[in-house]
Amino acid sequence: MKWSFAQIGLLIIAAFHVIQAVIGFIVEPSFATGPGAPTAQVLGMDYNGWHAVAGLALFAPGLVFAMRKSWSVLYLLIAAVVGGLPGIWAFFSHQVAFFFTFPNNTTDAVVHLVTAAVMIAVAAIQIRLDGGLRNSLSDLHKGHQASRKTG
């Protein structure tokens, strides 16, 4: 199987963030919430048990989505938004989503937004290589059409 740019990019991004989340959980496994909840910085991100679980929930599926090009492109676009929104919130608060404690909120915001930008860039490059979003997601359409014919 020949892997596409998006698949390789997603595999690297997801593996990196899964490893970061596991390290973050090992360094600070606390599930405390609210102001003053313990955190530890791992590569610029404030981690505790909750942030580690959120990181695993977002990026572990990326390891599966990397198996198909269309899934990779779609995942990269959706995960960029899902991961970028807390980054925007972090610019304005140390308590993101009223739940996650980010004592170093500006650094966390930048890391979230840079990760989102890299994910969008990888998807955009793949879309450009394929000649458009429709082509990048073409096997999703084929699967949908096949299920409509049999259903």
Side-chain angles (χ1 to χ4, degrees):
M1 170 173 109
K2 185 176 184 223
W3 284 52
S4 70
F5 181 78
Q7 288 174 282
I8 294 167
L10 176 55
L11 183 64
I12 292 167
I13 292 165
F16 175 82
H17 285 284
V18 164
I19 291 166
Q20 184 181 21
V22 169
I23 292 169
F25 182 73
I26 291 168
V27 172
E28 183 51 73
S30 170
F31 284 95
T33 60
T39 63
Q41 275 201 312
V42 177
L43 298 173
M45 294 293 296
D46 290 315
Y47 268 93
N48 64 14
W50 291 115
H51 201 188
V53 167
L56 289 172
L58 181 60
F59 289 104
L63 299 172
V64 175
F65 280 83
M67 300 306 290
R68 289 178 59 182
K69 180 178 67 172
S70 61
W71 293 357
S72 296
V73 171
L74 190 59
Y75 176 88
L76 285 163
L77 294 172
I78 293 170
V81 172
V82 171
L85 290 175
I88 293 168
W89 193 327
F91 272 121
F92 305 102
S93 175
H94 292 285
Q95 270 319 113
V96 175
F98 308 108
F99 189 67
F100 296 104
T101 300
F102 287 177
N104 303 293
N105 62 315
T106 303
T107 306
D108 288 302
V110 169
V111 172
H112 271 258
L113 294 176
V114 166
T115 301
V118 168
M119 292 169 69
I120 289 169
V122 170
I125 290 168
Q126 185 64 57
I127 291 165
R128 175 78 172 148
L129 290 171
D130 293 339
L133 183 60
R134 178 178 283 264
N135 294 336
S136 292
L137 302 179
S138 64
D139 62 338
L140 290 177
H141 296 297
K142 290 176 187 172
H144 178 68
Q145 290 169 352
S147 67
R148 289 178 64 192
K149 288 180 183 176
T150 60

